[in-house]
Amino acid sequence: MNKENKSKIKNNETFEKFNQKNDIFNRSLWDKTVRSKKTEKFYNDYTKPPESENRPEGYKHKDYAFRNATWFMSDTFSNIHKNNGRAEGFTDEFKVQKPGTKSKYIFKSNKDLTDEIKIIAKKLGADLVGITKSNPKWIYSHKYRRATDEVKPNKIDSSLNRVIVIANQMDKDLIDTAPSALSGSATGLGYSNDLTTILSLSQYIINLGYKAVPSQNDTALSIPLAIEAGLGEYARNGLLITKKFGPRVRISKIFTDLPLECDKPISFGVKNYCSICNKCADSCPPRAISFDKPSFKQINKSNIKGIKKWSVDAEKCFKFWASQSTDCSICIRVCPYNKDFDKLTHKIGIKLANTPFRYILIKLDNFFGNRKKPSEWWANK
Ligand code: SF4
Ligand code: SF4
């Protein structure tokens, strides 16, 4: 065997499409190495908030009551076809749209159509919109049915060859309280707000006589599609970093047959910045974020195989979430790109991050960005 082949095997370089069964949330249901009593409590607390006040700040009755309320819309829609074993938005695409017209509305040009879809998406609540091809690489190889523990090949209509990728910002003040159940409200709000945008935009497309399949975590990996749609760059913390909101976004998508024009990937210095900044890795309590260079290493089965990148140890990350009975956004809160880029100083900062001045910026950033106390949030909301 020659040297190159040996190194390919060592690096696990052979690409394999991701099987949804190996998503860490699905594994927390079927995999005994992930599932524990803490996992059950973690999920139960989303159904019924813990009532005790004898808990640390940010993890009290009202914090959980609010967090769970932010998930209400997402929970309601994900359970809409629960009797058929579907968890829409999580393991299955949404199937709630009304029928549209038989004839297709004809646009003047594909450019006009693309511009208009982006404007309508923003009217319906999208903060960022990009278009890309439906790259089969990122479509899950298999779908997982939680209720019955079934795995089935993931079939997607081949005419849905465009993806409208949407990123919505998460609430900065809430994220600033991470880790806490209170900060988990930013996640719940993100999921629930995304729904309004993708369900309404899909209905608009269907009303014009075209096909639209709204999707959140189901069907395909959102981050690589968002990168290909030009919404941002991949980062050490395993997240998308956008120019406007940094890593503080939630991503959703719509598969469609509209003949949209595609955007191109962008680069604004994130890769170089992450290569000298380890703030997320340093701040991650269970050390789930790598300090190493991007590699093909598959830490466990929840990492996609054969892509050279920074990988996060989802087992460590999820076990930490379960131990504190809520999700954690520390790696979003501490990231130097988690700024309000409407402010002039931060606008200048993001430009400098793409130059050798990034070394000074990293030092400066360590003086800022401390956690906000949940009691402060409640006092000043
Ligand atoms: S969410 Fe929390 S535990 Fe998970 S990788 Fe980020 S900092 Fe670490
Ligand atoms: S904290 Fe630093 S290393 Fe981590 S994602 Fe943000 S910029 Fe990259």
Side-chain angles (χ1 to χ4, degrees):
M1 193 182 292
N2 66 31
K3 242 185 186 175
E4 198 194 338
N5 281 347
K6 265 190 193 162
S7 106
K8 274 189 182 174
I9 288 170
K10 195 170 146 209
N11 288 328
N12 226 350
E13 204 176 316
T14 317
F15 175 77
E16 270 178 31
K17 286 169 79 163
F18 191 70
N19 183 336
Q20 193 184 47
K21 184 175 184 176
N22 292 327
D23 170 285
I24 195 69
F25 300 102
N26 292 332
R27 285 181 65 201
S28 74
L29 303 176
W30 63 264
D31 186 341
K32 283 185 188 142
T33 66
V34 180
R35 193 183 179 139
S36 69
K37 283 207 168 134
K38 282 183 185 164
T39 320
E40 276 164 42
K41 179 162 170 28
F42 170 82
Y43 287 121
N44 288 341
D45 284 353
Y46 277 89
T47 311
K48 194 171 178 296
E51 292 167 40
S52 165
E53 282 305 292
N54 191 19
R55 289 167 152 258
E57 198 183 301
Y59 297 86
K60 293 181 190 286
H61 186 171
K62 204 159 70 163
D63 299 297
Y64 279 99
F66 178 46
R67 184 203 65 175
N68 291 5
T70 63
W71 279 97
F72 179 75
M73 291 305 288
S74 172
D75 288 345
T76 305
F77 276 91
S78 77
N79 286 330
I80 218 158
H81 296 125
K82 193 181 171 187
N83 290 344
N84 300 337
R86 295 172 65 83
E88 296 185 8
F90 294 95
T91 56
D92 302 280
E93 72 285 7
F94 290 97
K95 278 202 171 163
V96 292
Q97 310 304 140
K98 294 179 191 160
T101 52
K102 278 191 185 141
S103 60
K104 289 184 171 161
Y105 181 89
I106 306 298
F107 285 84
K108 252 199 286 175
S109 68
N110 290 351
K111 178 162 184 340
D112 275 9
L113 155 71
T114 307
D115 291 346
E116 190 177 301
I117 284 291
K118 288 183 177 177
I119 291 167
I120 297 292
K122 291 195 173 172
K123 293 276 176 216
L124 293 170
D127 286 319
L128 305 171
V129 194
I131 315 285
T132 187
K133 284 184 187 160
S134 176
N135 186 344
K137 233 175 145 175
W138 312 126
I139 310 282
Y140 298 141
S141 65
H142 292 78
K143 286 208 155 198
Y144 179 65
R145 183 131 297 178
R146 291 176 180 173
T148 51
D149 193 31
E150 271 174 290
V151 182
K152 284 189 185 159
N154 183 22
K155 288 186 190 136
I156 180 156
D157 176 348
S158 59
S159 67
L160 301 170
N161 57 12
R162 290 288 182 274
V163 191
I164 304 167
V165 190
I166 285 160
N168 280 338
Q169 66 167 317
M170 291 196 280
D171 187 294
K172 186 168 185 315
D173 290 336
L174 286 168
I175 291 286
D176 284 349
T177 69
S180 64
L182 179 62
S183 77
S185 310
T187 316
L189 275 174
Y191 274 89
S192 293
N193 291 341
D194 280 355
L195 272 179
T196 312
T197 309
I198 57 168
L199 296 184
S200 311
L201 183 58
S202 295
Q203 193 59 53
Y204 174 65
I205 296 168
I206 292 167
N207 291 348
L208 293 174
Y210 294 85
K211 295 182 194 169
V213 176
S215 157
Q216 289 186 304
N217 298 352
D218 56 279
T219 309
L221 295 168
S222 296
I223 292 176
L225 287 169
I227 293 168
E228 289 178 358
L231 295 189
E233 273 190 71
Y234 186 74
R236 182 185 292 282
N237 56 9
L239 301 173
L240 176 79
I241 297 221
T242 63
K243 261 190 186 173
K244 204 161 175 201
F245 310 108
R248 197 173 25 82
V249 290
R250 296 234 65 89
I251 309 167
S252 53
K253 53 209 184 281
I254 298 169
F255 293 87
T256 180
D257 62 347
L258 277 173
L260 294 160
E261 291 190 344
C262 292
D263 290 294
K264 290 199 172 85
I266 54 168
S267 166
F268 53 101
V270 173
K271 196 172 178 200
N272 287 340
Y273 198 95
C274 285
S275 66
I276 55 164
C277 166
N278 285 318
K279 208 167 171 184
C280 53
D282 266 330
S283 312
C284 171
R287 288 282 187 259
I289 298 174
S290 165
F291 287 86
D292 299 334
K293 288 182 180 166
S295 78
F296 286 98
K297 190 174 168 196
Q298 197 194 19
I299 303 167
N300 55 56
K301 54 174 84 125
S302 290
N303 300 114
I304 192 165
K305 218 170 159 186
I307 300 288
K308 189 176 181 186
K309 65 180 184 71
W310 283 294
S311 290
V312 172
D313 187 332
E315 290 180 7
K316 284 185 181 169
C317 172
F318 182 76
K319 283 175 187 170
F320 178 70
W321 290 23
S323 73
Q324 55 151 17
S325 206
T326 190
D327 63 329
C328 155
S329 297
I330 295 174
C331 51
I332 297 178
R333 171 174 64 79
V334 301
C335 178
Y337 284 97
N338 173 27
K339 297 276 189 307
D340 177 356
F341 288 110
D342 281 338
K343 289 188 181 157
L344 182 65
T345 40
H346 298 323
K347 271 187 190 154
I348 296 168
I350 200 167
K351 290 221 161 91
L352 292 178
N354 200 11
T355 70
F357 281 105
R358 68 180 72 92
Y359 289 92
I360 299 165
L361 282 181
I362 285 175
K363 292 213 166 90
L364 282 175
D365 201 79
N366 289 333
F367 290 104
F368 305 104
N370 288 334
R371 177 181 186 247
K372 183 187 269 181
K373 280 185 169 180
S375 56
E376 243 180 80
W377 185 88
W378 280 108
N380 300 311
K381 60 199 172 296

Short mmCIF file of all heavy atoms in Angstrom, two decimals, residues 178-179 236-239 279-281 283-290 312-314 316-321 324 327-334, ligand 1:
data_model
loop_
_atom_site.label_atom_id
_atom_site.label_comp_id
_atom_site.label_asym_id
_atom_site.label_seq_id
_atom_site.Cartn_x
_atom_site.Cartn_y
_atom_site.Cartn_z
N ALA A 178 -25.74 32.73 29.15
CA ALA A 178 -25.34 31.31 29.06
C ALA A 178 -24.11 31.05 29.94
O ALA A 178 -23.22 31.88 30.00
CB ALA A 178 -24.99 30.95 27.62
N PRO A 179 -24.06 29.93 30.66
CA PRO A 179 -25.05 28.85 30.61
C PRO A 179 -26.17 29.08 31.62
O PRO A 179 -25.92 29.45 32.76
CB PRO A 179 -24.21 27.63 31.03
CG PRO A 179 -23.19 28.20 31.99
CD PRO A 179 -22.91 29.59 31.52
N ARG A 236 -14.32 27.06 14.40
CA ARG A 236 -13.81 26.04 15.32
C ARG A 236 -14.91 25.46 16.21
O ARG A 236 -14.87 24.27 16.55
CB ARG A 236 -12.72 26.68 16.21
CG ARG A 236 -12.08 25.72 17.19
CD ARG A 236 -11.11 26.42 18.13
NE ARG A 236 -9.93 26.92 17.46
CZ ARG A 236 -8.89 26.17 17.10
NH1 ARG A 236 -8.89 24.88 17.36
NH2 ARG A 236 -7.85 26.71 16.50
N ASN A 237 -15.88 26.28 16.61
CA ASN A 237 -16.95 25.78 17.50
C ASN A 237 -17.98 24.93 16.75
O ASN A 237 -19.02 24.57 17.32
CB ASN A 237 -17.63 26.94 18.24
CG ASN A 237 -18.20 27.99 17.30
OD1 ASN A 237 -18.24 27.80 16.09
ND2 ASN A 237 -18.62 29.12 17.86
N GLY A 238 -17.69 24.61 15.49
CA GLY A 238 -18.59 23.73 14.73
C GLY A 238 -19.83 24.44 14.22
O GLY A 238 -20.76 23.79 13.75
N LEU A 239 -19.82 25.78 14.30
CA LEU A 239 -21.01 26.54 13.91
C LEU A 239 -20.73 27.41 12.70
O LEU A 239 -19.57 27.57 12.28
CB LEU A 239 -21.46 27.42 15.09
CG LEU A 239 -21.80 26.66 16.38
CD1 LEU A 239 -22.05 27.65 17.51
CD2 LEU A 239 -23.02 25.76 16.19
N LYS A 279 -10.84 30.64 22.06
CA LYS A 279 -11.71 31.08 23.16
C LYS A 279 -12.86 30.10 23.43
O LYS A 279 -13.16 29.79 24.58
CB LYS A 279 -12.25 32.47 22.84
CG LYS A 279 -12.55 33.27 24.08
CD LYS A 279 -12.78 34.71 23.75
CE LYS A 279 -13.30 35.42 25.00
NZ LYS A 279 -13.64 36.81 24.75
N CYS A 280 -13.48 29.60 22.36
CA CYS A 280 -14.60 28.67 22.58
C CYS A 280 -14.09 27.36 23.18
O CYS A 280 -14.71 26.80 24.10
CB CYS A 280 -15.35 28.42 21.27
SG CYS A 280 -14.29 27.90 19.91
N ALA A 281 -12.94 26.88 22.67
CA ALA A 281 -12.38 25.62 23.18
C ALA A 281 -11.98 25.77 24.65
O ALA A 281 -12.23 24.89 25.47
CB ALA A 281 -11.19 25.20 22.33
N SER A 283 -13.30 27.80 26.78
CA SER A 283 -14.45 28.09 27.64
C SER A 283 -15.43 26.93 27.74
O SER A 283 -16.36 26.98 28.54
CB SER A 283 -15.22 29.30 27.09
OG SER A 283 -14.36 30.34 26.80
N CYS A 284 -15.27 25.92 26.90
CA CYS A 284 -16.25 24.82 26.88
C CYS A 284 -16.04 23.93 28.11
O CYS A 284 -14.98 23.30 28.25
CB CYS A 284 -16.06 24.01 25.59
SG CYS A 284 -17.01 22.50 25.57
N PRO A 285 -17.02 23.87 29.03
CA PRO A 285 -16.80 23.11 30.27
C PRO A 285 -16.38 21.66 30.06
O PRO A 285 -15.44 21.20 30.71
CB PRO A 285 -18.14 23.24 31.02
CG PRO A 285 -18.76 24.47 30.45
CD PRO A 285 -18.31 24.55 29.02
N PRO A 286 -17.02 20.89 29.13
CA PRO A 286 -16.59 19.48 29.00
C PRO A 286 -15.46 19.28 27.99
O PRO A 286 -15.15 18.14 27.65
CB PRO A 286 -17.87 18.79 28.53
CG PRO A 286 -18.58 19.81 27.72
CD PRO A 286 -18.23 21.15 28.33
N ARG A 287 -14.83 20.38 27.52
CA ARG A 287 -13.74 20.27 26.54
C ARG A 287 -14.17 19.50 25.28
O ARG A 287 -13.51 18.57 24.83
CB ARG A 287 -12.52 19.57 27.17
CG ARG A 287 -11.79 20.42 28.18
CD ARG A 287 -10.92 21.43 27.42
NE ARG A 287 -10.04 22.21 28.28
CZ ARG A 287 -10.28 23.46 28.69
NH1 ARG A 287 -11.39 24.08 28.34
NH2 ARG A 287 -9.41 24.11 29.42
N ALA A 288 -15.32 19.91 24.75
CA ALA A 288 -15.86 19.24 23.55
C ALA A 288 -15.33 19.85 22.27
O ALA A 288 -15.52 19.28 21.19
CB ALA A 288 -17.38 19.31 23.57
N ILE A 289 -14.68 21.02 22.38
CA ILE A 289 -14.21 21.73 21.16
C ILE A 289 -12.70 21.52 21.02
O ILE A 289 -11.95 21.66 21.99
CB ILE A 289 -14.57 23.23 21.24
CG1 ILE A 289 -16.10 23.38 21.31
CG2 ILE A 289 -14.00 24.00 20.05
CD1 ILE A 289 -16.58 24.79 21.54
N SER A 290 -12.29 21.23 19.81
CA SER A 290 -10.89 20.87 19.57
C SER A 290 -9.97 22.10 19.58
O SER A 290 -10.33 23.16 19.07
CB SER A 290 -10.81 20.17 18.20
OG SER A 290 -9.49 20.12 17.77
N VAL A 312 -16.58 18.87 16.62
CA VAL A 312 -16.96 18.99 18.03
C VAL A 312 -17.35 17.61 18.54
O VAL A 312 -17.93 16.81 17.81
CB VAL A 312 -18.13 20.00 18.17
CG1 VAL A 312 -18.69 20.01 19.57
CG2 VAL A 312 -17.65 21.40 17.78
N ASP A 313 -16.99 17.32 19.79
CA ASP A 313 -17.36 16.04 20.39
C ASP A 313 -18.79 16.16 20.92
O ASP A 313 -19.03 16.65 22.03
CB ASP A 313 -16.37 15.71 21.52
CG ASP A 313 -16.59 14.32 22.09
OD1 ASP A 313 -17.74 13.84 22.04
OD2 ASP A 313 -15.62 13.74 22.60
N ALA A 314 -19.75 15.72 20.09
CA ALA A 314 -21.17 15.91 20.43
C ALA A 314 -21.55 15.09 21.68
O ALA A 314 -22.47 15.47 22.40
CB ALA A 314 -22.03 15.51 19.25
N LYS A 316 -19.66 14.61 24.41
CA LYS A 316 -19.28 15.42 25.59
C LYS A 316 -20.23 16.60 25.73
O LYS A 316 -20.66 16.94 26.83
CB LYS A 316 -17.85 15.93 25.45
CG LYS A 316 -16.79 14.88 25.70
CD LYS A 316 -15.43 15.56 25.66
CE LYS A 316 -14.30 14.56 25.88
NZ LYS A 316 -13.00 15.16 25.59
N CYS A 317 -20.52 17.25 24.60
CA CYS A 317 -21.38 18.43 24.61
C CYS A 317 -22.77 18.07 25.14
O CYS A 317 -23.26 18.70 26.08
CB CYS A 317 -21.46 18.99 23.19
SG CYS A 317 -22.65 20.32 22.97
N PHE A 318 -23.36 17.01 24.60
CA PHE A 318 -24.73 16.67 25.01
C PHE A 318 -24.78 16.22 26.47
O PHE A 318 -25.74 16.54 27.20
CB PHE A 318 -25.31 15.58 24.09
CG PHE A 318 -26.73 15.25 24.45
CD1 PHE A 318 -27.77 16.11 24.11
CD2 PHE A 318 -27.03 14.11 25.19
CE1 PHE A 318 -29.08 15.83 24.47
CE2 PHE A 318 -28.34 13.83 25.56
CZ PHE A 318 -29.37 14.68 25.20
N LYS A 319 -23.75 15.49 26.90
CA LYS A 319 -23.74 15.05 28.30
C LYS A 319 -23.69 16.27 29.24
O LYS A 319 -24.27 16.25 30.31
CB LYS A 319 -22.59 14.08 28.56
CG LYS A 319 -22.91 12.69 28.01
CD LYS A 319 -21.76 11.72 28.14
CE LYS A 319 -22.12 10.43 27.41
NZ LYS A 319 -20.98 9.51 27.28
N PHE A 320 -22.99 17.30 28.82
CA PHE A 320 -22.97 18.53 29.63
C PHE A 320 -24.36 19.17 29.67
O PHE A 320 -24.83 19.61 30.72
CB PHE A 320 -21.92 19.52 29.10
CG PHE A 320 -21.89 20.80 29.87
CD1 PHE A 320 -21.42 20.84 31.18
CD2 PHE A 320 -22.36 21.98 29.31
CE1 PHE A 320 -21.43 22.02 31.92
CE2 PHE A 320 -22.37 23.17 30.03
CZ PHE A 320 -21.90 23.19 31.34
N TRP A 321 -25.03 19.20 28.52
CA TRP A 321 -26.40 19.74 28.47
C TRP A 321 -27.28 18.96 29.44
O TRP A 321 -28.05 19.54 30.21
CB TRP A 321 -27.00 19.61 27.07
CG TRP A 321 -26.41 20.48 26.01
CD1 TRP A 321 -25.17 21.06 26.00
CD2 TRP A 321 -27.03 20.85 24.79
NE1 TRP A 321 -24.99 21.76 24.84
CE2 TRP A 321 -26.11 21.65 24.08
CE3 TRP A 321 -28.26 20.58 24.21
CZ2 TRP A 321 -26.40 22.19 22.83
CZ3 TRP A 321 -28.56 21.11 22.96
CH2 TRP A 321 -27.62 21.92 22.28
N GLN A 324 -26.78 19.75 33.13
CA GLN A 324 -27.34 21.01 33.66
C GLN A 324 -28.81 21.19 33.26
O GLN A 324 -29.41 22.21 33.50
CB GLN A 324 -26.49 22.21 33.28
CG GLN A 324 -26.24 22.38 31.81
CD GLN A 324 -26.04 23.85 31.45
OE1 GLN A 324 -25.79 24.67 32.32
NE2 GLN A 324 -26.17 24.17 30.19
N ASP A 327 -29.94 23.33 27.34
CA ASP A 327 -28.86 23.45 26.35
C ASP A 327 -27.85 24.52 26.80
O ASP A 327 -28.09 25.25 27.77
CB ASP A 327 -29.43 23.78 24.97
CG ASP A 327 -30.17 25.11 24.92
OD1 ASP A 327 -30.75 25.49 25.94
OD2 ASP A 327 -30.15 25.77 23.87
N CYS A 328 -26.73 24.57 26.11
CA CYS A 328 -25.65 25.47 26.52
C CYS A 328 -25.22 26.27 25.31
O CYS A 328 -25.09 25.73 24.22
CB CYS A 328 -24.49 24.62 27.04
SG CYS A 328 -22.87 25.39 26.94
N SER A 329 -25.01 27.56 25.48
CA SER A 329 -24.57 28.38 24.34
C SER A 329 -23.29 29.12 24.69
O SER A 329 -23.03 30.21 24.17
CB SER A 329 -25.66 29.37 23.96
OG SER A 329 -26.82 28.72 23.54
N ILE A 330 -22.47 28.53 25.57
CA ILE A 330 -21.25 29.23 25.99
C ILE A 330 -20.36 29.54 24.77
O ILE A 330 -19.81 30.63 24.64
CB ILE A 330 -20.46 28.40 27.03
CG1 ILE A 330 -21.27 28.26 28.32
CG2 ILE A 330 -19.11 29.03 27.32
CD1 ILE A 330 -20.65 27.34 29.36
N CYS A 331 -20.25 28.54 23.85
CA CYS A 331 -19.34 28.74 22.71
C CYS A 331 -19.88 29.80 21.74
O CYS A 331 -19.13 30.29 20.89
CB CYS A 331 -19.06 27.42 21.99
SG CYS A 331 -20.52 26.51 21.55
N ILE A 332 -21.15 30.13 21.85
CA ILE A 332 -21.69 31.25 21.05
C ILE A 332 -21.42 32.55 21.81
O ILE A 332 -20.94 33.53 21.25
CB ILE A 332 -23.21 31.07 20.81
CG1 ILE A 332 -23.47 29.80 19.99
CG2 ILE A 332 -23.81 32.30 20.14
CD1 ILE A 332 -24.94 29.50 19.73
N ARG A 333 -21.72 32.53 23.13
CA ARG A 333 -21.57 33.77 23.92
C ARG A 333 -20.14 34.31 23.89
O ARG A 333 -19.94 35.50 23.70
CB ARG A 333 -21.99 33.52 25.38
CG ARG A 333 -21.66 34.71 26.28
CD ARG A 333 -22.19 34.56 27.69
NE ARG A 333 -21.64 33.48 28.46
CZ ARG A 333 -20.45 33.48 29.08
NH1 ARG A 333 -19.64 34.53 28.96
NH2 ARG A 333 -20.06 32.45 29.78
N VAL A 334 -19.15 33.41 24.06
CA VAL A 334 -17.78 33.91 24.21
C VAL A 334 -17.11 34.25 22.89
O VAL A 334 -16.04 34.88 22.88
CB VAL A 334 -16.89 32.89 24.97
CG1 VAL A 334 -17.45 32.59 26.35
CG2 VAL A 334 -16.69 31.61 24.16
S1 SF4 B 1 -22.62 24.11 23.60
FE1 SF4 B 1 -21.45 24.24 25.53
S2 SF4 B 1 -20.80 22.15 25.90
FE2 SF4 B 1 -21.40 22.24 23.75
S3 SF4 B 1 -19.55 22.70 22.61
FE3 SF4 B 1 -20.52 24.67 23.06
S4 SF4 B 1 -19.57 25.34 25.00
FE4 SF4 B 1 -19.15 23.16 24.77
#
